[in-house]
Amino acid sequence: MPNLIVVGGGITGVTSAYALSRRGHLVTVVETRRYPAMETSYANGGQLSASNAEVWNNWATILKGLKWMLRADAPLLLNPTPSLHKYTWIAEFIAQIANYRANTIETTRLAIAAREHLLAMAQAEGVDFDYRQNGLLHLYHDKHSFEIAGQANTLLREGGLDRYAVTPQEIAKIEPTAHGQFHGGFYTPSDASGDIHKFTRGLVDACVRRGVRFLYDTAVDRIEATASNVQLQIRTQGARVGVMQADGVVLCAGVDSRKFAASLGDRINIYPVKGYSITIGLNDDESRAAAPNVCLLDEAAKIVTSRLGPDRFRIAGTAEFNGFNKDIRADRIQPLVDWSQKLFPGVATNAVVPWAGLRPMTPTMLPKVGSGRRPRVFYNTGHGHLGWTLSGATSQILADHIDRALA
Ligand SMILES: Cc1cc2nc3c(=O)[nH]c(=O)nc-3n(C[C@H](O)[C@H](O)[C@H](O)COP(=O)(O)OP(=O)(O)OC[C@H]3O[C@@H](n4cnc5c(N)ncnc54)[C@H](O)[C@@H]3O)c2cc1C
């Protein structure tokens, strides 16, 4: 059986390793950090949300984004400092408006297919990740945005999603804890949530039981691929350099996949789109009762939320185009806290853990799954704002592909 190296121990790397080991491949995962899932797969929005599959490549979103750029607390922030990567990415993103419809439908299908794979992995291996399937409620504050959302809803339904419009009265029944005036909403009963970090760590344990090897504190510096094998130059914490050999390499390096792709003759234009989250500890009965149970997506604030077990409420948002910067900015965290206090006034915000991560985003907003130009080079990367939602499916597509390619 082929022996494969997976670069990256986030959700895409670990689901890939698991899918490949189940097919009998000998797998080694190489991860720079001391533990798995410490980068973007650490504290994301938690949503397994096919209903969030609409790609952002349309004029309505871009115009909204331009207006937001004038507001300091807006959900979109673009550092105007010249950067070739940023501006070429934006140009390609705009060029993809032509594929808005097709890419939205494809993402929806992928997200629906991913559900059963992710749950099958968790069930087969007994992974507890605070999963709950209470549906996702998309909230709209005004008539105009609600009507525009109706058009996207047609595409999501075309992709196979059961998502329907709800009135303010129905919103109050679906999520009685939410305060505020809403014009309307869309509800997707089949959407769910869970803790990406807990899931990934649990799946790592399952991988280890299946014989997958994990090398932590180990960075891959360089990859060479020939017709007969791949060679990876690695660096451990003590700066020792070694070479690993394998029959194939799978790149799941998140925002770092682009540089590896370039060195291997592939162009995968991943931009690091920064986002923030807060995790509110629900440490008293009143807070637990006042926090929502369904996943929420507030259209105006571009905020997503998940209830993670009884005691945690995760709120995430912001798309910041500011390079590889991972600083946690107080002025980006405060709008998330303010939003919680406004919609869920009974939730105490005295135990708030902030976090920032970089979404590995392609201009099409679709991941790259499959072969590179060089032999024995494979990718499962570029999952953008939906890596948690999509990785159950992309890991299977990758494993199918590798089975065929290395047969
Ligand atoms: C604020 C925010 C909210 C989000 N909310 C949601 C949500 O609600 N639902 C959803 O579906 N998605 C969400 N996402 C997106 C999702 O979290 C990401 O798509 C996903 O975590 C990306 O996983 P990954 O494995 O590609 O990258 P990562 O998790 O970043 O993993 C890549 C790994 O590769 C390692 N690595 C990099 N370079 C090397 C190297 N040279 N050698 C060895 N290892 C290397 C890194 O250390 C890292 O561990 C959100 C993202 C953010 C930022």
Side-chain angles (χ1 to χ4, degrees), residues 38 64 102 124 162 168 176 187 193 204 210 213 241 244 333 357 396:
M38 296 305 288
K64 206 186 280 179
D162 181 20
Y187 184 53
S193 58
V204 165
R210 304 187 67 83
R213 209 159 59 109
V241 173
M244 293 173 73
I333 292 297
Q396 303 301 318

Side-chain angles (χ1 to χ4, degrees), residues 314-336:
R314 173 78 48 79
I315 303 177
T318 308
E320 196 174 303
F321 288 76
N322 193 15
F324 283 80
N325 178 304
K326 285 193 288 187
D327 295 351
I328 300 177
R329 281 174 51 172
D331 62 338
R332 310 305 295 171
I333 292 297
Q334 194 57 46
L336 303 178

Side-chain angles (χ1 to χ4, degrees), residues 183-250:
H183 177 83
F186 282 90
Y187 184 53
T188 311
S190 51
D191 269 342
S193 58
D195 185 329
I196 186 173
H197 183 73
K198 268 177 105 168
F199 177 90
T200 312
R201 300 277 311 231
L203 200 65
V204 165
D205 293 343
C207 285
V208 170
R209 288 194 295 272
R210 304 187 67 83
V212 176
R213 209 159 59 109
F214 283 82
L215 299 182
Y216 297 113
D217 279 338
T218 305
V220 174
D221 279 344
R222 200 180 142 85
I223 302 173
E224 277 179 33
T226 65
S228 54
N229 71 8
V230 291
Q231 296 199 359
L232 280 74
Q233 229 176 69
I234 55 166
R235 182 169 35 91
T236 63
Q237 273 247 309
R240 276 185 290 122
V241 173
V243 175
M244 293 173 73
Q245 276 193 19
D247 298 311
V249 63
V250 183

Side-chain angles (χ1 to χ4, degrees), residues 7-13 30-33 35-49 196 218-221 252-256 259-260 273-277 304 306 316-318 355-360 380-390:
V7 182
I11 186 69
T12 59
V30 184
E31 166 56 53
T32 313
R33 304 286 298 255
Y35 311 100
M38 296 305 288
E39 290 291 338
T40 316
S41 305
Y42 185 72
N44 75 357
Q47 298 189 339
L48 295 161
S49 48
I196 186 173
T218 305
V220 174
D221 279 344
C252 301
V255 292
D256 292 316
K259 69 170 189 230
F260 283 116
V273 180
K274 186 176 175 184
Y276 296 83
S277 77
V304 302
S306 294
T318 308
W355 173 79
L358 302 175
R359 303 175 184 91
N380 181 16
T381 194
H383 293 57
H385 73 308
L386 278 185
W388 178 215
T389 301
L390 301 178

Side-chain angles (χ1 to χ4, degrees), residues 127-142:
V127 179
D128 169 22
F129 63 109
D130 292 326
Y131 176 77
R132 56 168 81 189
Q133 196 215 313
N134 284 349
L136 189 148
L137 187 57
H138 212 134
L139 299 168
Y140 296 84
H141 297 262
D142 62 275

